[in-house]
Amino acid sequence: WHKWEYKVYHKIGDKVKELQLARHFFFEGGRWDEKEYSMESMYASLKTLVLKDDWAKYVETLISEAQGKKDIIRLLYIYTQEKMWQEYMDYIRKNPSIYNIDDAPKDVKKLFRDEIVKLYATAVRNYFQRASNRDSYRNGVAYLRKLIRYGGSKEAEQIVSEQKSRTPRRPALIDELSKL
């Protein structure tokens, strides 16, 4: 019924209640492939409903609510939409995983290139510590290729030599690393 309520408020021009419901849908809506109530759509609605002068302060309230709910998806979405690259990088520093780095916007990867390469190299090293079969070795080599694309060819070479010397009795690993 919130959807109908939202449409009614939109039709009659009740901006305050429309804003409340848009915020509700931003955090809770769009779960069943409903593009109209998706996070992206509701964020755009929020941006049109809040005055430009008040937007920066409103974004801060959205960020604190997302942090309070531990809603990382929405938090990173806000950082991306508002081009808050320093905050996005702070999140990556606290959570340096292969997936978080791969999912980061290109602007973050470009601005913090050297740090991204170091964090990614560390994450790949950690991945190889747990790798135990040919499939995981292939995935590790794919991560090494990404590391090279990020500008870490020197780090990738170092990881390859470390792995070959650390595990000389794993022919599948040596074979997959030789395909790099």
Coordinates of all heavy atoms in Angstrom, one line a residue, residues 89-166:
M89 N 37.2 5.0 -1.1 CA 38.5 4.4 -0.9 C 38.7 4.0 0.6 O 39.3 3.0 0.9 CB 39.6 5.3 -1.3 CG 41.0 4.7 -1.4 SD 41.0 3.3 -2.5 CE 42.4 2.4 -1.8
D90 N 38.2 4.8 1.5 CA 38.3 4.5 3.0 C 37.6 3.2 3.2 O 38.1 2.3 4.0 CB 37.6 5.6 3.8 CG 38.5 6.9 3.8 OD1 39.7 6.8 3.5 OD2 37.9 7.9 4.2
Y91 N 36.4 2.9 2.6 CA 35.7 1.7 2.7 C 36.6 0.5 2.2 O 36.7 -0.5 2.9 CB 34.4 1.7 2.0 CG 33.7 0.4 2.0 CD1 33.0 -0.1 3.1 CD2 33.8 -0.5 0.9 CE1 32.5 -1.4 3.2 CE2 33.2 -1.8 0.9 CZ 32.5 -2.2 2.1 OH 32.0 -3.4 2.1
I92 N 37.2 0.7 1.1 CA 38.1 -0.4 0.5 C 39.2 -0.6 1.4 O 39.6 -1.8 1.6 CB 38.5 0.0 -0.9 CG1 37.3 0.0 -1.9 CG2 39.6 -0.9 -1.4 CD1 37.7 0.4 -3.3
R93 N 39.8 0.4 2.0 CA 40.9 0.2 2.9 C 40.5 -0.7 4.1 O 41.3 -1.5 4.6 CB 41.4 1.5 3.5 CG 42.3 2.3 2.5 CD 42.8 3.6 3.1 NE 43.3 4.5 2.0 CZ 42.7 5.6 1.7 NH1 41.6 6.0 2.3 NH2 43.2 6.3 0.7
K94 N 39.3 -0.4 4.6 CA 38.8 -1.2 5.8 C 38.4 -2.6 5.4 O 38.4 -3.5 6.2 CB 37.6 -0.5 6.4 CG 38.0 0.8 7.1 CD 36.8 1.5 7.6 CE 37.2 2.9 8.1 NZ 36.1 3.8 8.3
N95 N 38.0 -2.8 4.1 CA 37.5 -4.1 3.6 C 38.2 -4.4 2.3 O 37.6 -4.5 1.2 CB 36.0 -4.0 3.4 CG 35.3 -3.6 4.6 OD1 35.1 -4.3 5.5 ND2 34.8 -2.3 4.6
P96 N 39.5 -4.7 2.3 CA 40.3 -4.9 1.1 C 40.1 -6.3 0.5 O 41.0 -7.1 0.6 CB 41.7 -4.7 1.5 CG 41.7 -5.1 2.9 CD 40.4 -4.8 3.5
S97 N 39.0 -6.6 -0.2 CA 38.8 -7.9 -0.8 C 38.9 -7.7 -2.3 O 38.8 -6.6 -2.9 CB 37.5 -8.5 -0.4 OG 36.5 -7.8 -1.1
I98 N 39.2 -8.8 -3.0 CA 39.2 -8.8 -4.5 C 37.9 -8.3 -5.0 O 37.9 -7.4 -5.9 CB 39.5 -10.2 -5.0 CG1 40.9 -10.6 -4.7 CG2 39.2 -10.4 -6.5 CD1 41.3 -12.1 -4.9
Y99 N 36.8 -8.7 -4.5 CA 35.5 -8.3 -5.0 C 35.2 -6.8 -4.8 O 34.7 -6.1 -5.7 CB 34.4 -9.1 -4.4 CG 34.7 -10.6 -4.5 CD1 35.0 -11.4 -3.4 CD2 34.6 -11.2 -5.8 CE1 35.3 -12.7 -3.6 CE2 34.9 -12.6 -5.9 CZ 35.2 -13.3 -4.8 OH 35.5 -14.6 -5.0
N100 N 35.6 -6.3 -3.6 CA 35.3 -4.9 -3.3 C 36.2 -4.0 -4.3 O 35.7 -3.0 -4.7 CB 35.7 -4.5 -1.9 CG 34.6 -5.0 -0.9 OD1 33.5 -5.3 -1.3 ND2 35.0 -5.2 0.3
I101 N 37.4 -4.4 -4.5 CA 38.2 -3.6 -5.4 C 37.8 -3.8 -6.9 O 37.7 -2.8 -7.6 CB 39.7 -4.1 -5.3 CG1 40.2 -3.8 -3.9 CG2 40.6 -3.4 -6.3 CD1 41.6 -4.4 -3.5
D102 N 37.4 -5.0 -7.3 CA 36.9 -5.1 -8.7 C 35.6 -4.3 -8.9 O 35.4 -3.8 -10.0 CB 36.6 -6.6 -9.0 CG 37.8 -7.4 -9.2 OD1 38.9 -6.8 -9.5 OD2 37.8 -8.7 -9.2
D103 N 34.7 -4.2 -7.9 CA 33.5 -3.5 -8.0 C 33.6 -2.0 -7.9 O 32.6 -1.3 -8.1 CB 32.5 -4.0 -7.0 CG 32.0 -5.4 -7.2 OD1 32.2 -5.9 -8.4 OD2 31.4 -6.0 -6.3
A104 N 34.8 -1.5 -7.5 CA 35.0 -0.1 -7.3 C 34.8 0.7 -8.6 O 35.2 0.1 -9.7 CB 36.3 0.2 -6.7
P105 N 34.3 1.9 -8.6 CA 34.2 2.7 -9.9 C 35.6 2.9 -10.5 O 36.6 3.0 -9.7 CB 33.6 4.0 -9.4 CG 32.9 3.7 -8.1 CD 33.7 2.6 -7.5
K106 N 35.7 3.1 -11.7 CA 36.9 3.4 -12.4 C 37.6 4.6 -11.9 O 38.9 4.7 -11.8 CB 36.7 3.6 -13.9 CG 36.3 2.3 -14.6 CD 36.0 2.6 -16.1 CE 35.6 1.3 -16.8 NZ 35.3 1.5 -18.2
D107 N 36.9 5.6 -11.5 CA 37.5 6.8 -10.9 C 38.3 6.6 -9.7 O 39.3 7.1 -9.5 CB 36.4 7.9 -10.6 CG 35.7 8.4 -11.9 OD1 36.4 8.4 -12.9 OD2 34.6 8.9 -11.8
V108 N 37.8 5.7 -8.8 CA 38.5 5.3 -7.6 C 39.8 4.6 -7.9 O 40.8 4.9 -7.4 CB 37.6 4.5 -6.7 CG1 38.4 3.9 -5.5 CG2 36.4 5.2 -6.2
K109 N 39.7 3.7 -8.9 CA 40.8 2.9 -9.3 C 41.9 3.8 -9.9 O 43.1 3.6 -9.8 CB 40.4 1.8 -10.3 CG 39.6 0.7 -9.7 CD 39.1 -0.3 -10.7 CE 38.1 -1.2 -10.2 NZ 37.5 -2.0 -11.2
K110 N 41.4 4.8 -10.6 CA 42.4 5.7 -11.3 C 43.0 6.7 -10.3 O 44.2 6.9 -10.3 CB 41.7 6.6 -12.3 CG 42.6 7.4 -13.2 CD 41.8 8.3 -14.2 CE 41.0 7.5 -15.2 NZ 40.3 8.3 -16.1
L111 N 42.2 7.3 -9.4 CA 42.7 8.2 -8.4 C 43.7 7.6 -7.4 O 44.6 8.2 -6.9 CB 41.6 8.9 -7.6 CG 40.8 10.0 -8.3 CD1 39.5 10.4 -7.6 CD2 41.7 11.2 -8.6
F112 N 43.4 6.4 -7.0 CA 44.2 5.7 -5.9 C 44.9 4.5 -6.5 O 45.0 3.5 -5.8 CB 43.3 5.3 -4.8 CG 42.5 6.5 -4.1 CD1 41.2 6.7 -4.5 CD2 43.1 7.3 -3.2 CE1 40.5 7.8 -4.0 CE2 42.4 8.3 -2.6 CZ 41.1 8.6 -3.0
R113 N 45.4 4.6 -7.7 CA 46.0 3.5 -8.4 C 47.0 2.7 -7.7 O 46.9 1.5 -7.6 CB 46.5 4.0 -9.8 CG 47.1 2.9 -10.7 CD 47.6 3.5 -11.9 NE 48.5 2.6 -12.6 CZ 49.8 2.4 -12.4 NH1 50.4 3.1 -11.5 NH2 50.4 1.4 -13.0
D114 N 48.0 3.4 -7.1 CA 49.1 2.7 -6.4 C 48.6 1.9 -5.2 O 49.0 0.8 -5.0 CB 50.2 3.7 -6.0 CG 50.9 4.3 -7.2 OD1 50.9 3.7 -8.3 OD2 51.5 5.4 -7.0
E115 N 47.7 2.6 -4.5 CA 47.1 1.9 -3.3 C 46.2 0.7 -3.7 O 46.3 -0.3 -3.0 CB 46.4 2.9 -2.4 CG 46.0 2.4 -1.1 CD 45.4 3.4 -0.2 OE1 45.3 4.6 -0.6 OE2 45.1 3.1 1.0
I116 N 45.5 0.9 -4.7 CA 44.6 -0.2 -5.2 C 45.5 -1.4 -5.6 O 45.2 -2.5 -5.3 CB 43.8 0.3 -6.4 CG1 42.7 1.2 -5.9 CG2 43.2 -0.9 -7.2 CD1 41.5 0.6 -5.2
V117 N 46.6 -1.1 -6.3 CA 47.5 -2.2 -6.7 C 48.0 -3.0 -5.5 O 48.0 -4.2 -5.5 CB 48.6 -1.7 -7.6 CG1 49.7 -2.7 -7.8 CG2 48.1 -1.2 -9.0
K118 N 48.5 -2.2 -4.5 CA 49.0 -2.9 -3.3 C 47.9 -3.7 -2.6 O 48.2 -4.8 -2.2 CB 49.6 -1.8 -2.3 CG 50.9 -1.2 -2.8 CD 51.3 -0.2 -1.8 CE 52.6 0.5 -2.4 NZ 52.9 1.7 -1.6
L119 N 46.7 -3.1 -2.4 CA 45.7 -3.9 -1.7 C 45.2 -5.1 -2.5 O 45.0 -6.2 -2.0 CB 44.5 -2.9 -1.5 CG 44.7 -1.8 -0.5 CD1 43.5 -0.9 -0.5 CD2 44.8 -2.4 0.9
Y120 N 45.2 -4.9 -3.9 CA 44.8 -6.1 -4.7 C 45.8 -7.2 -4.7 O 45.5 -8.3 -4.6 CB 44.5 -5.6 -6.1 CG 43.6 -6.5 -6.9 CD1 42.2 -6.4 -6.8 CD2 44.1 -7.4 -7.8 CE1 41.4 -7.3 -7.5 CE2 43.3 -8.3 -8.6 CZ 42.0 -8.2 -8.4 OH 41.1 -9.0 -9.1
A121 N 47.1 -6.8 -4.7 CA 48.2 -7.8 -4.7 C 48.1 -8.5 -3.3 O 48.3 -9.8 -3.3 CB 49.5 -7.1 -4.8
T122 N 47.8 -7.9 -2.3 CA 47.7 -8.5 -1.0 C 46.5 -9.5 -1.0 O 46.6 -10.6 -0.5 CB 47.5 -7.5 0.2 OG1 48.7 -6.6 0.2 CG2 47.4 -8.2 1.5
A123 N 45.4 -9.1 -1.6 CA 44.2 -9.9 -1.6 C 44.5 -11.1 -2.5 O 44.1 -12.3 -2.2 CB 43.0 -9.1 -2.2
V124 N 45.2 -11.0 -3.6 CA 45.5 -12.1 -4.5 C 46.5 -13.1 -3.7 O 46.3 -14.3 -3.8 CB 46.2 -11.6 -5.8 CG1 46.7 -12.8 -6.6 CG2 45.1 -10.9 -6.6
R125 N 47.5 -12.5 -3.0 CA 48.4 -13.4 -2.2 C 47.5 -14.2 -1.2 O 47.8 -15.4 -1.1 CB 49.4 -12.6 -1.4 CG 50.6 -12.3 -2.2 CD 51.7 -11.6 -1.3 NE 52.8 -11.2 -2.1 CZ 52.9 -10.0 -2.6 NH1 52.0 -9.1 -2.4 NH2 53.9 -9.7 -3.4
N126 N 46.6 -13.6 -0.5 CA 45.8 -14.3 0.4 C 44.9 -15.4 -0.3 O 44.7 -16.4 0.3 CB 44.9 -13.3 1.2 CG 45.6 -12.4 2.1 OD1 46.7 -12.7 2.5 ND2 45.1 -11.3 2.4
Y127 N 44.5 -15.0 -1.5 CA 43.7 -16.0 -2.2 C 44.5 -17.3 -2.5 O 44.0 -18.4 -2.4 CB 43.2 -15.4 -3.5 CG 42.4 -16.4 -4.4 CD1 41.0 -16.6 -4.1 CD2 43.0 -17.1 -5.4 CE1 40.3 -17.6 -4.8 CE2 42.3 -18.1 -6.1 CZ 40.9 -18.3 -5.8 OH 40.2 -19.2 -6.5
F128 N 45.7 -17.1 -3.0 CA 46.6 -18.2 -3.3 C 46.9 -19.0 -2.0 O 47.2 -20.2 -2.2 CB 47.9 -17.8 -4.0 CG 47.7 -17.7 -5.5 CD1 47.7 -16.4 -6.1 CD2 47.6 -18.8 -6.3 CE1 47.6 -16.4 -7.5 CE2 47.4 -18.7 -7.6 CZ 47.4 -17.5 -8.3
Q129 N 46.9 -18.4 -0.9 CA 47.2 -19.2 0.4 C 46.1 -20.2 0.6 O 46.4 -21.3 1.1 CB 47.2 -18.2 1.6 CG 48.3 -17.3 1.6 CD 49.7 -17.9 1.7 OE1 49.8 -18.9 2.4 NE2 50.7 -17.4 1.0
R130 N 44.9 -19.9 0.1 CA 43.7 -20.9 0.3 C 43.5 -21.7 -0.9 O 42.7 -22.7 -0.8 CB 42.5 -20.1 0.7 CG 42.6 -19.3 2.0 CD 41.3 -18.6 2.3 NE 40.8 -17.8 1.2 CZ 41.2 -16.5 1.0 NH1 42.1 -16.0 1.7 NH2 40.6 -15.8 0.0
A131 N 44.1 -21.4 -2.0 CA 43.8 -22.2 -3.3 C 44.4 -23.6 -3.1 O 45.5 -23.8 -2.7 CB 44.5 -21.5 -4.5
S132 N 43.5 -24.5 -3.6 CA 44.0 -25.9 -3.4 C 43.7 -26.9 -4.5 O 44.0 -28.1 -4.5 CB 43.3 -26.5 -2.1 OG 41.9 -26.4 -2.3
N133 N 43.1 -26.4 -5.6 CA 42.8 -27.2 -6.8 C 42.9 -26.4 -8.1 O 43.1 -25.2 -8.0 CB 41.4 -27.9 -6.7 CG 40.3 -26.9 -6.6 OD1 40.4 -25.8 -7.2 ND2 39.2 -27.2 -5.9
R134 N 42.8 -27.1 -9.2 CA 43.1 -26.5 -10.5 C 42.1 -25.3 -10.7 O 42.5 -24.3 -11.2 CB 43.0 -27.5 -11.6 CG 43.5 -26.9 -12.9 CD 43.6 -27.9 -14.0 NE 44.7 -28.8 -13.9 CZ 45.9 -28.5 -14.4 NH1 46.2 -27.4 -15.0 NH2 46.9 -29.4 -14.3
D135 N 40.8 -25.5 -10.4 CA 39.9 -24.4 -10.6 C 40.2 -23.2 -9.8 O 40.2 -22.0 -10.3 CB 38.5 -24.9 -10.2 CG 37.8 -25.8 -11.2 OD1 38.3 -25.8 -12.3 OD2 36.9 -26.5 -10.8
S136 N 40.6 -23.3 -8.6 CA 41.0 -22.2 -7.8 C 42.3 -21.6 -8.3 O 42.5 -20.3 -8.2 CB 41.2 -22.5 -6.3 OG 42.1 -23.5 -6.1
Y137 N 43.2 -22.4 -8.9 CA 44.4 -21.8 -9.5 C 44.1 -21.0 -10.7 O 44.7 -19.9 -10.9 CB 45.4 -23.0 -9.8 CG 45.8 -23.9 -8.7 CD1 46.2 -25.2 -9.0 CD2 45.9 -23.4 -7.4 CE1 46.6 -26.0 -7.9 CE2 46.3 -24.2 -6.4 CZ 46.6 -25.5 -6.6 OH 47.0 -26.4 -5.6
R138 N 43.1 -21.5 -11.5 CA 42.7 -20.7 -12.7 C 42.1 -19.4 -12.2 O 42.4 -18.3 -12.9 CB 41.6 -21.5 -13.4 CG 42.2 -22.6 -14.3 CD 41.1 -23.2 -15.2 NE 41.7 -24.4 -15.8 CZ 41.1 -25.6 -15.7 NH1 40.0 -25.7 -15.0 NH2 41.7 -26.6 -16.3
N139 N 41.3 -19.4 -11.2 CA 40.7 -18.1 -10.7 C 41.9 -17.2 -10.2 O 41.8 -16.0 -10.5 CB 39.8 -18.4 -9.5 CG 38.5 -19.0 -10.0 OD1 38.1 -18.9 -11.2 ND2 37.8 -19.7 -9.1
G140 N 42.8 -17.8 -9.6 CA 44.0 -17.0 -9.1 C 44.7 -16.3 -10.2 O 45.1 -15.2 -10.2
V141 N 44.9 -17.1 -11.3 CA 45.6 -16.5 -12.5 C 44.7 -15.4 -13.1 O 45.2 -14.4 -13.6 CB 45.9 -17.7 -13.5 CG1 46.4 -17.1 -14.8 CG2 47.0 -18.6 -13.0
A142 N 43.4 -15.6 -13.1 CA 42.5 -14.5 -13.6 C 42.7 -13.3 -12.8 O 42.7 -12.1 -13.3 CB 41.1 -15.0 -13.6
Y143 N 42.8 -13.4 -11.5 CA 43.0 -12.3 -10.6 C 44.4 -11.6 -10.9 O 44.5 -10.4 -10.8 CB 42.9 -12.7 -9.1 CG 41.5 -13.2 -8.7 CD1 41.4 -14.2 -7.8 CD2 40.4 -12.6 -9.2 CE1 40.2 -14.7 -7.4 CE2 39.1 -13.1 -8.9 CZ 39.0 -14.1 -8.0 OH 37.8 -14.6 -7.6
L144 N 45.4 -12.5 -11.2 CA 46.7 -11.9 -11.5 C 46.6 -11.1 -12.8 O 47.2 -10.0 -12.9 CB 47.7 -13.0 -11.7 CG 48.2 -13.7 -10.4 CD1 49.0 -14.9 -10.7 CD2 49.0 -12.7 -9.6
R145 N 45.8 -11.5 -13.8 CA 45.6 -10.8 -15.0 C 45.0 -9.4 -14.7 O 45.3 -8.4 -15.3 CB 44.8 -11.6 -16.0 CG 45.5 -12.7 -16.6 CD 44.7 -13.3 -17.8 NE 45.5 -14.4 -18.3 CZ 45.2 -15.7 -18.1 NH1 44.2 -16.0 -17.4 NH2 45.9 -16.6 -18.7
K146 N 44.0 -9.4 -13.8 CA 43.4 -8.2 -13.4 C 44.4 -7.2 -12.7 O 44.4 -6.0 -12.9 CB 42.2 -8.4 -12.5 CG 40.9 -8.9 -13.2 CD 39.8 -9.0 -12.2 CE 38.6 -9.6 -12.9 NZ 37.5 -9.9 -12.0
L147 N 45.2 -7.8 -11.9 CA 46.2 -7.1 -11.2 C 47.1 -6.4 -12.2 O 47.5 -5.2 -12.0 CB 47.0 -8.0 -10.2 CG 48.2 -7.3 -9.5 CD1 47.7 -6.2 -8.6 CD2 48.9 -8.4 -8.7
I148 N 47.5 -7.1 -13.2 CA 48.3 -6.5 -14.3 C 47.6 -5.4 -15.0 O 48.2 -4.3 -15.3 CB 48.8 -7.6 -15.3 CG1 49.7 -8.6 -14.6 CG2 49.4 -7.0 -16.5 CD1 50.0 -9.9 -15.4
R149 N 46.3 -5.6 -15.3 CA 45.5 -4.5 -15.9 C 45.4 -3.3 -15.0 O 45.3 -2.2 -15.5 CB 44.1 -5.0 -16.2 CG 44.0 -5.6 -17.6 CD 42.6 -5.9 -18.0 NE 42.4 -7.3 -17.6 CZ 41.3 -7.8 -17.1 NH1 40.2 -7.1 -16.9 NH2 41.2 -9.1 -16.8
Y150 N 45.4 -3.5 -13.7 CA 45.3 -2.3 -12.8 C 46.7 -1.6 -12.7 O 46.8 -0.5 -12.1 CB 44.9 -2.8 -11.4 CG 43.5 -3.3 -11.2 CD1 43.2 -4.2 -10.3 CD2 42.5 -2.8 -12.0 CE1 41.9 -4.6 -10.1 CE2 41.2 -3.2 -11.9 CZ 40.9 -4.2 -10.9 OH 39.6 -4.6 -10.8
G151 N 47.7 -2.2 -13.3 CA 49.0 -1.6 -13.3 C 50.0 -2.2 -12.4 O 51.0 -1.7 -12.1
G152 N 49.7 -3.4 -12.0 CA 50.6 -4.1 -11.0 C 51.3 -5.3 -11.6 O 51.4 -6.4 -11.0
S153 N 51.9 -5.1 -12.8 CA 52.7 -6.2 -13.4 C 53.9 -6.7 -12.6 O 54.1 -7.9 -12.5 CB 53.1 -5.9 -14.8 OG 53.9 -4.7 -14.8
K154 N 54.5 -5.7 -11.9 CA 55.7 -6.1 -11.1 C 55.2 -6.9 -9.9 O 55.8 -7.9 -9.6 CB 56.3 -4.8 -10.6 CG 57.6 -5.0 -9.8 CD 58.4 -3.7 -9.6 CE 57.5 -2.8 -8.7 NZ 58.2 -1.6 -8.3
E155 N 54.1 -6.5 -9.3 CA 53.5 -7.3 -8.2 C 53.1 -8.7 -8.6 O 53.3 -9.6 -7.9 CB 52.4 -6.5 -7.5 CG 52.8 -5.3 -6.7 CD 53.0 -4.0 -7.6 OE1 52.9 -4.1 -8.9 OE2 53.2 -3.0 -7.0
A156 N 52.5 -8.8 -9.8 CA 52.0 -10.0 -10.3 C 53.2 -11.0 -10.5 O 53.1 -12.2 -10.2 CB 51.3 -9.8 -11.6
E157 N 54.3 -10.5 -11.1 CA 55.5 -11.3 -11.3 C 56.0 -11.8 -10.0 O 56.4 -13.0 -9.8 CB 56.6 -10.5 -12.0 CG 56.3 -10.2 -13.5 CD 57.3 -9.3 -14.1 OE1 58.4 -9.2 -13.6 OE2 57.0 -8.7 -15.1
Q158 N 56.0 -10.9 -9.0 CA 56.5 -11.3 -7.6 C 55.6 -12.4 -7.0 O 56.1 -13.4 -6.5 CB 56.5 -10.1 -6.7 CG 57.2 -10.3 -5.4 CD 57.2 -9.0 -4.6 OE1 56.8 -8.0 -5.0 NE2 57.8 -9.2 -3.4
I159 N 54.3 -12.3 -7.2 CA 53.4 -13.3 -6.6 C 53.6 -14.6 -7.3 O 53.7 -15.7 -6.7 CB 51.9 -12.8 -6.8 CG1 51.7 -11.7 -5.8 CG2 51.0 -14.0 -6.5 CD1 50.3 -11.0 -6.0
V160 N 53.8 -14.6 -8.7 CA 54.1 -15.8 -9.4 C 55.3 -16.5 -8.9 O 55.4 -17.7 -8.7 CB 54.1 -15.6 -10.9 CG1 54.7 -16.8 -11.7 CG2 52.8 -15.2 -11.5
S161 N 56.4 -15.8 -8.8 CA 57.7 -16.4 -8.3 C 57.5 -16.9 -6.9 O 58.1 -17.9 -6.5 CB 58.8 -15.4 -8.4 OG 58.7 -14.3 -7.5
E162 N 56.8 -16.2 -6.0 CA 56.5 -16.6 -4.7 C 55.8 -18.0 -4.7 O 56.1 -18.9 -3.9 CB 55.7 -15.6 -3.9 CG 56.4 -14.4 -3.5 CD 55.5 -13.3 -2.9 OE1 54.3 -13.6 -2.7 OE2 55.9 -12.2 -2.7
Q163 N 54.8 -18.0 -5.5 CA 54.0 -19.3 -5.5 C 54.8 -20.5 -6.1 O 54.6 -21.6 -5.6 CB 52.7 -19.1 -6.4 CG 51.7 -18.1 -5.8 CD 51.3 -18.6 -4.4 OE1 51.0 -19.8 -4.1 NE2 51.4 -17.7 -3.4
K164 N 55.6 -20.2 -7.1 CA 56.4 -21.3 -7.7 C 57.4 -21.8 -6.6 O 57.6 -23.0 -6.6 CB 57.0 -20.9 -8.9 CG 56.1 -20.8 -10.1 CD 56.8 -20.4 -11.4 CE 55.9 -20.3 -12.6 NZ 56.5 -19.9 -13.8
S165 N 58.0 -20.9 -5.9 CA 59.0 -21.3 -4.9 C 58.3 -21.9 -3.7 O 58.9 -22.8 -3.1 CB 59.9 -20.2 -4.6 OG 59.2 -19.2 -3.9
R166 N 57.2 -21.4 -3.3 CA 56.5 -21.9 -2.1 C 55.9 -23.3 -2.3 O 55.9 -24.1 -1.4 CB 55.4 -20.9 -1.7 CG 54.7 -21.2 -0.4 CD 53.7 -20.1 -0.1 NE 52.4 -20.3 -0.9 CZ 51.4 -21.1 -0.6 NH1 51.5 -21.8 0.5 NH2 50.4 -21.1 -1.4

